Amino acid sequence: MGLGKDYATQECSIASALEVIGERWTLLVIRDAFYGVRRYNDFLVHLGIPRAVLASRLQALTAQGILEKRRYQESPPRDEYVLTDRGTALWPTLRALGLWGREHLTGRRLRIFRHAACGTELGPYGECPACGTVVAVPDVEVVPGPDLSRDPADPVSRALLKPKRLLQPVEVDPA
């Protein structure tokens, strides 16, 4: 029996969520949006994703209200993609998936997430152990972990070697 195209017969909120974010590449596009990647070419270069697939994922995420398309240049017209509140609500899911992958698959600390206000590394549920609060996404700082390559090939990865808050636009140096 072939794999179906949807989960129409499933009465399950996980199946409903997978309808929106369960396609290959989708969570990586969302992850990059949290890192501040906003422009089509930056997604393309950082992910190594085929153009047609990226265009399809951005269109679907925009249609679902996870990303918002915003014009940043008029001539020629160019747009960027920014997480909406609905998209930002996916942070606990991405955080948990990343921790699970690190613990059960790679064992590598590629990125560290800290509370920007005090510098404390976040706990497993996005909480600050020092402050005793769950840290809001804009107050999370991402820094390179000890296992992250310090000499990446693409300009987006190089830009992400600098500590930065989530959701803040990544500043890519094309050189």
Side-chain angles (χ1 to χ4, degrees):
M1 177 181 221
L3 181 62
K5 298 280 185 197
D6 61 31
Y7 304 101
T9 62
Q10 297 292 312
E11 289 189 29
C12 169
S13 58
I14 294 173
S16 297
L18 286 174
E19 286 286 331
V20 176
I21 62 168
E23 289 184 313
R24 182 180 169 107
W25 293 109
T26 300
L27 284 176
L28 296 179
V29 170
I30 295 168
R31 175 209 61 194
D32 275 13
F34 274 103
Y35 290 167
V37 176
R38 292 182 170 191
R39 296 181 178 178
Y40 180 89
N41 196 56
D42 291 342
F43 282 111
L44 193 68
V45 167
H46 190 237
L47 293 172
I49 185 173
R51 286 181 182 276
V53 173
L54 177 58
S56 172
R57 296 307 179 269
L58 291 172
Q59 183 178 21
L61 289 168
T62 302
Q64 286 292 328
I66 293 170
L67 294 175
E68 178 183 337
K69 190 174 178 178
R70 293 184 188 163
R71 179 75 27 108
Y72 70 88
Q73 179 179 308
E74 289 300 330
S75 184
R78 298 203 189 272
D79 299 310
E80 62 183 9
Y81 298 87
V82 180
L83 283 166
T84 63
D85 289 344
R86 188 176 193 186
T88 303
L90 286 165
W91 171 243
T93 302
L94 262 66
R95 172 127 177 92
L97 199 55
L99 289 172
W100 183 87
R102 181 175 78 194
E103 183 177 334
H104 296 286
L105 301 174
T106 69
R108 298 172 62 210
R109 288 174 49 97
L110 300 173
R111 300 200 192 289
I112 296 170
F113 300 96
R114 303 188 305 203
H115 186 191
C118 71
T120 303
E121 185 173 350
L122 299 184
Y125 303 104
E127 77 282 6
C128 176
C131 299
T133 61
V134 174
V135 179
V137 174
D139 297 327
V140 174
E141 181 181 49
V142 60
V143 298
D147 300 318
L148 188 65
S149 170
R150 297 300 194 249
D151 189 27
D154 71 273
V156 176
S157 293
R158 285 193 299 274
L160 291 173
L161 289 174
K162 300 173 192 159
K164 67 176 294 304
R165 288 187 186 216
L166 293 181
L167 305 178
Q168 293 300 309
V170 68
E171 295 183 24
V172 178
D173 180 8

